[in-house]
Amino acid sequence: MSEEHKGPIDNKRYFSDPEYRKQVLAERKAKSKNNSEEMNPYLKKILIWGGGFVGVMLLLIAGYVTYLISGLPSANEFENPETAIASEVKSRDGVTLDKYFIENRNWVRYDKISPHVIDALIATEDHRFYNHWGIDTYATLAIPWHLINGRWQGASTISQQLARNLYKKIGQEFSVTRKFREMITAIQLERRYTKREITEMYLNTVEFPNSTFGIESAAQTHFDKPAKELNISEAAAMIGSLQAIYAFNPRIFPERSKSRRDIVLSQMNKRNFLTDSEFQVLASEPIELDYQPPSKAGRQSRYFGEYVRQQVNPWLEENGYDLFKDGLVIYTTIDSRLQQHAERAVKTKLDSLQVIFEKEWTTPGSDEYMDKLWNEFPLFFRTFVRETDRYKNGFSKYDTKLESVVFDSLFADTAFVDSVKRVRTQLQASFVAIEPTNGNILAWVGGTDYGDVQFDHVYQSKRQAGSTFKPFVYAVAIDNGYKPYHKFSKFPVTFRQRDGTTWTPKDETVAEGPVEVPLREALARSMNNVTVRLLPEIAGAPGTNKLWELDPAARKIKDMASKLGIDMGNTPAYPSIALGTANVSLLELTSAYTTFVNAGVHIDPIAITRIEDKEGNILKEFHPELTAEVISPETAYIITDMLRGVIRGGEDFYGTGVRLRNTYGVRQDVAGKTGTTNDAADNWFVAMMPHIVMGAWVGGKDRRVRFNQDLSYSIGQGARTALPIVGEFINYATADEQAYWKYDAFEPPPGFVMPEDPEKTRNELIKDENKGKIGW
């Protein structure tokens, strides 16, 4: 081993002598180790703790970055941002009838937005919008200066605001983290979308006053016009409200809103979107609203809208669509003008009928509301009270188990008593119109106020049909060979039951004149006695007085109604079915009548034609289900012709629907049938024309309420309540030159000749032969 080296290093030897080089390196290593051991222990601790701190900081930073990223939208969300868009129900002529939404928003394309809206937005919210990359660097760097000077001035760009609107996970709270996420998201949006697309998305996602989302809904709600038609002042008012949608609500705070609008106009002037003179003129003008409440904006028929929702919901669920978020457009068969006329007719007539209804049940001079009704049906009111929440809670409130105590306490409250009586005696009405050749529903009014009663009297309500059921009985008779001229006695007939009791249905009055009347007149006058006398003939047991032998007739009538589209599943086949004891919906009844107009072919009513997505792509189309001929064209035409007599009457009789001509002046070819139930609870009328079949119903909101039968002039008849609704509708529609209406007459089947009464023909021949003879 070489000796230890001391002194300066011999460089020449270091490079030439390996042993020497090893000795020098060993000495250096030993020296370094000694120096390390002699290091200050405090310095060593500082280095150790410093290293640990740096490590912890790196971990915290990594954790924060991970947390920051976790709150950012995913790549898929950036490419496909989700916004809840209202779905719409549209008429066949493109008018919005109803909406379904979480947020009342209609998406509208950039070119369908007024340029004044875009100018106002840029001038007010982000005037460097077209020059930045998502973040306004100048405004952001100026924030500390503004804070030092004691004022807060935001620096969020339109892109940053869009980031908050599109991605709820970013949040709205004031924090550094939210701001970082907002800025990162804005940069990502700028990378993926054009300025035009960002502007479109922003104006469709931002919330405006009065619960409207997006510029289209805001324009429709506040000015009753599409976004494309907003003028400068309207655009400035809407954009100005974005700063605080409640504080600058033009409906609630018009002066405050005007001041904010003027600031927007000033900014537009400053950014050269307006000239000085334009600014001066516009700033002097008030904001002129044409406010349409959001619950009614673009909405004409909530009843029909709910029916549509129930019809499409199974298909939507099966195919993964959300009616309240996906911006679907559901096109229907409704004609918007006829719909307007139908709603107007129902409201106009029902308001007047309600007043008359109350007077008929109230003794003149009496202080008690509708005292006759409560006196005649004393149990009704107690039943109604039992159904109230105050009654149900009364036992605990009054600490009693005795109903009499609860009743005494409630009856002492005159305001409560009066409210129950008024609520329970409100009339309701419904109307539906169907195009007979294709089943298209043209108008639908399910009630008077969906907000008050969410029960649709077009299809949900099933009430006794009364005399509107009789055409089905006569159709069976015609199918069995009977002719309109065949005559039957107009006097009552009695049928014996097996237990010895009897059934003797009869008309209230039997007018003077011939004992026998032809079927044509009997149907036109809605004569129960003749209708009942048809039953033994239909049953194949002529002349029988045994009630059970009429069952075959009842089954034939039930089968006929089923073929015409009425659900008769739970209806027992009793002989009384001939007088309208079956429960039917107005939709079923009206649809059944279309079969007579449509040459015996029944088509189920159809309400929806197609469903489109928000881009206008057709997702689903609906077509009427074609059915076979259920009755012969000849039978269908004969019944139609007989029902003309209901409206026209005859040579020596009036039909029950003559008011349609005499009062409402309807002169075109029309057939129809009135109907009133025995207890006067339900009033019906169905009118038929070649291009449209209309049905109306009027009755109590509660089916226990009925019209006053003790009065000969009572409105409790189909001809006096339901017929006027149809009459008003026809007059409104025919007066509207833009409405869908035709004046065609009914056409008989090819080669068909209406059967003539041989006796009448023979008498006419005798008259012709005797003309000119002496003494004639």
Side-chain angles (χ1 to χ4, degrees):
M1 183 178 180
S2 60
E3 64 180 69
E4 182 179 353
H5 171 74
K6 295 183 179 180
I9 298 173
D10 184 343
N11 289 332
K12 183 177 181 181
R13 184 182 176 190
Y14 181 83
F15 290 105
S16 62
D17 186 349
E19 292 298 326
Y20 178 73
R21 187 164 58 251
K22 288 181 182 180
Q23 179 182 343
V24 172
L25 292 173
E27 289 175 358
R28 287 178 175 174
K29 186 176 181 181
K31 185 177 180 180
S32 175
K33 182 177 180 181
N34 292 334
N35 290 339
S36 177
E37 290 175 352
E38 293 173 2
M39 186 180 295
N40 189 323
Y42 293 106
L43 180 58
K44 291 171 67 175
K45 288 182 179 180
I46 289 173
L47 291 175
I48 292 171
W49 281 101
F53 177 76
V54 171
V56 171
M57 287 302 297
L58 289 174
L59 287 174
L60 289 175
I61 292 172
Y64 179 73
V65 171
T66 301
Y67 171 69
L68 190 66
I69 294 173
S70 69
L72 294 175
S74 66
N76 181 61
E77 288 175 313
F78 274 120
E79 297 296 336
N80 302 287
E82 290 187 5
T83 302
I85 304 172
S87 293
E88 294 182 281
V89 176
K90 286 186 176 289
S91 66
R92 65 183 185 181
D93 48 334
V95 175
T96 299
L97 300 174
D98 207 344
K99 293 182 180 180
Y100 316 97
F101 55 84
I102 295 174
E103 298 174 341
N104 184 19
R105 176 188 290 110
N106 290 342
W107 195 279
V108 61
R109 294 302 177 197
Y110 183 93
D111 57 3
K112 298 295 184 182
I113 300 173
S114 167
H116 304 309
V117 173
I118 297 167
D119 292 345
L121 176 67
I122 300 301
T124 308
E125 296 293 327
D126 189 0
H127 67 275
R128 281 185 286 269
F129 175 66
Y130 294 108
N131 299 318
H132 63 64
W133 41 280
I135 300 173
D136 188 339
T137 307
Y138 176 85
T140 302
L141 293 176
I143 291 176
W145 171 255
H146 293 305
L147 291 176
I148 290 171
N149 287 274
R151 64 177 182 268
W152 166 253
Q153 181 169 322
S156 289
T157 64
I158 290 174
S159 303
Q160 288 175 263
Q161 294 179 52
L162 175 61
R164 293 198 302 269
N165 295 339
L166 278 182
Y167 307 109
K168 304 303 182 186
K169 63 171 64 177
I170 291 177
Q172 299 285 341
E173 78 281 359
F174 181 79
S175 70
V176 174
T177 297
R178 194 270 294 168
K179 201 66 180 177
F180 279 146
R181 286 173 174 165
E182 178 187 293
M183 295 168 74
I184 295 170
T185 303
I187 294 170
Q188 292 296 322
L189 288 172
E190 291 272 352
R191 289 178 58 191
R192 287 172 165 82
Y193 299 100
T194 65
K195 294 290 187 179
R196 180 186 175 108
E197 290 171 330
I198 288 173
T199 305
E200 177 185 308
M201 287 192 286
Y202 177 85
L203 288 170
N204 278 291
T205 55
V206 72
E207 182 178 2
F208 290 90
N210 297 302
S211 301
T212 54
F213 293 80
I215 188 63
E216 180 69 12
S217 291
Q220 295 285 1
T221 298
H222 295 93
F223 303 105
D224 195 22
K225 62 173 63 174
K228 189 175 184 178
E229 297 179 9
L230 292 177
N231 60 35
I232 298 173
S233 176
E234 294 163 347
M238 288 294 92
I239 295 301
S241 70
L242 295 177
Q243 187 180 66
I245 58 175
Y246 179 75
F248 298 120
N249 186 321
R251 177 179 63 88
I252 302 175
F253 306 110
E255 293 301 321
R256 196 185 298 171
S257 175
K258 180 183 181 301
S259 297
R260 176 60 185 164
R261 181 210 61 179
D262 293 346
I263 292 174
V264 175
L265 293 173
S266 175
Q267 288 297 104
M268 294 177 72
N269 173 238
K270 181 179 179 181
R271 304 303 174 191
N272 298 318
F273 293 113
L274 293 178
T275 65
D276 291 342
S277 59
E278 286 175 327
F279 167 66
Q280 294 297 330
V281 171
L282 291 170
S284 67
E285 296 176 350
I287 299 175
E288 296 183 359
L289 292 179
D290 186 358
Y291 182 67
Q292 307 294 316
S295 60
K296 297 180 180 178
R299 176 170 295 158
Q300 295 181 7
S301 178
R302 281 296 303 274
Y303 287 102
F304 180 69
E306 179 60 16
Y307 175 75
V308 168
R309 186 191 70 78
Q310 293 184 26
Q311 295 297 303
V312 301
N313 209 48
W315 183 87
L316 296 176
E317 290 182 353
E318 183 180 341
N319 291 275
Y321 290 101
D322 189 327
L323 188 62
F324 294 88
K325 294 182 178 180
D326 290 343
L328 305 176
V329 181
I330 304 169
Y331 284 91
T332 70
T333 59
I334 293 289
D335 182 286
S336 67
R337 289 185 177 274
L338 295 184
Q339 179 68 23
Q340 290 176 353
H341 298 320
E343 295 204 354
R344 180 184 172 194
V346 169
K347 182 175 184 349
T348 300
K349 295 311 300 180
L350 197 61
D351 287 348
S352 61
L353 290 173
Q354 182 69 40
V355 174
I356 299 171
F357 175 73
E358 293 173 8
K359 287 182 178 179
E360 288 188 357
W361 279 112
T362 303
T363 305
S366 170
D367 293 331
E368 187 172 356
Y369 174 77
M370 293 183 66
D371 57 321
K372 292 181 184 177
L373 174 68
W374 311 117
N375 291 334
E376 185 171 340
F377 304 101
L379 298 181
F380 277 12
F381 183 66
R382 286 179 174 264
T383 303
F384 293 152
V385 169
R386 287 190 183 98
E387 295 170 3
T388 65
D389 290 335
R390 284 192 61 180
Y391 170 83
K392 296 172 184 176
N393 298 327
F395 293 92
S396 58
K397 179 179 180 179
Y398 302 114
D399 191 23
T400 182
K401 293 182 179 180
L402 299 175
E403 185 182 58
S404 59
V405 174
V406 176
F407 272 141
D408 289 343
S409 301
L410 294 177
F411 290 171
D413 186 343
T414 55
F416 168 74
V417 170
D418 188 61
S419 68
V420 172
K421 289 180 176 180
R422 289 190 179 277
V423 168
R424 290 302 188 136
T425 54
Q426 292 300 302
L427 294 180
Q428 276 292 322
S430 56
F431 176 92
V432 69
I434 303 175
E435 199 166 8
T437 55
N438 52 28
N440 287 347
I441 297 170
L442 299 175
W444 178 301
V445 184
T448 54
D449 185 356
Y450 186 83
D452 179 43
V453 181
Q454 291 84 44
F455 187 73
D456 195 315
H457 287 282
V458 169
Y459 80 104
Q460 286 181 308
S461 175
K462 288 205 169 189
R463 303 286 187 102
Q464 284 193 352
S467 294
T468 55
F469 207 81
K470 287 176 181 174
F472 311 143
V473 180
Y474 284 73
V476 175
I478 298 297
D479 265 357
N480 278 264
Y482 287 90
K483 308 300 180 187
Y485 56 77
H486 281 139
K487 294 181 179 180
F488 288 83
S489 170
K490 65 183 181 183
F491 290 95
V493 59
T494 297
F495 296 96
R496 179 172 54 84
Q497 302 192 61
R498 294 182 188 274
D499 61 2
T501 58
T502 58
W503 182 56
T504 311
K506 56 185 178 181
D507 296 306
E508 291 186 8
T509 59
V510 179
E512 296 180 358
V515 172
E516 292 187 331
V517 296
L519 294 181
R520 181 184 297 278
E521 179 182 344
L523 182 58
R525 294 172 58 189
S526 199
M527 301 176 74
N528 289 339
N529 296 343
V530 174
T531 304
V532 171
R533 286 182 178 275
L534 272 174
L535 296 181
E537 310 298 320
I538 295 173
T544 184
N545 67 345
K546 299 174 182 176
L547 187 62
W548 61 90
E549 292 185 352
L550 303 183
D551 290 345
R555 287 193 291 270
K556 288 181 181 180
I557 295 167
K558 179 177 178 179
D559 182 58
M560 173 62 73
S562 296
K563 290 193 298 183
L564 299 181
I566 295 178
D567 180 8
M568 300 293 292
N570 296 322
T571 303
Y574 297 148
S576 58
I577 194 176
L579 301 181
T581 56
N583 288 322
V584 303
S585 71
L586 180 63
L587 182 62
E588 289 175 330
L589 184 66
T590 308
S591 176
Y593 274 64
T594 65
T595 313
F596 300 135
V597 183
N598 199 35
V601 176
H602 177 74
I603 302 175
D604 287 334
I606 182 172
I608 305 162
T609 55
R610 69 183 186 275
I611 302 174
E612 294 181 358
D613 64 15
K614 63 182 180 182
E615 305 294 338
N617 300 309
I618 297 177
L619 303 176
K620 172 73 174 175
E621 290 186 291
F622 299 82
H623 303 282
E625 294 185 9
L626 299 179
T627 58
E629 183 179 285
V630 295
I631 57 175
S632 70
E634 292 75 17
T635 296
Y637 182 76
I638 290 174
I639 294 297
T640 300
D641 186 63
M642 292 172 71
L643 291 174
R644 280 169 162 158
V646 175
I647 312 300
R648 296 178 179 178
E651 294 180 0
D652 52 0
F653 68 87
Y654 287 99
T656 59
V658 70
R659 255 190 196 84
L660 197 63
R661 293 173 67 85
N662 293 351
T663 302
Y664 294 94
V666 178
R667 288 290 181 265
Q668 66 186 97
D669 199 2
V670 58
K673 186 70 187 77
T674 59
T676 308
T677 54
N678 285 336
D679 57 5
D682 299 287
N683 295 176
W684 307 81
F685 181 65
V686 181
M688 307 186 299
M689 295 178 182
H691 74 291
I692 189 171
V693 176
M694 302 149 282
W697 166 88
V698 177
K701 182 164 65 173
D702 189 296
R703 68 187 307 162
R704 286 165 290 190
V705 172
R706 65 281 311 272
F707 294 88
N708 192 339
Q709 293 176 289
D710 292 338
L711 304 174
S712 59
Y713 54 84
S714 173
I715 60 172
Q717 301 173 23
R720 295 180 179 178
T721 55
L723 183 148
I725 291 175
V726 175
E728 291 283 4
F729 169 78
I730 293 174
N731 286 339
Y732 292 151
T734 52
D736 183 354
E737 294 181 357
Q738 303 300 318
Y740 170 73
W741 202 259
K742 297 181 180 180
Y743 294 88
D744 300 338
F746 292 110
E747 293 289 340
F752 174 78
V753 177
M754 181 64 69
E756 293 291 341
D757 183 355
E759 182 179 342
K760 181 179 180 181
T761 303
R762 184 170 59 254
N763 290 337
E764 290 178 349
L765 288 174
I766 293 172
K767 287 181 182 179
D768 291 339
E769 290 175 358
N770 289 328
K771 282 181 180 179
K773 292 182 179 181
I774 297 174
W776 174 254

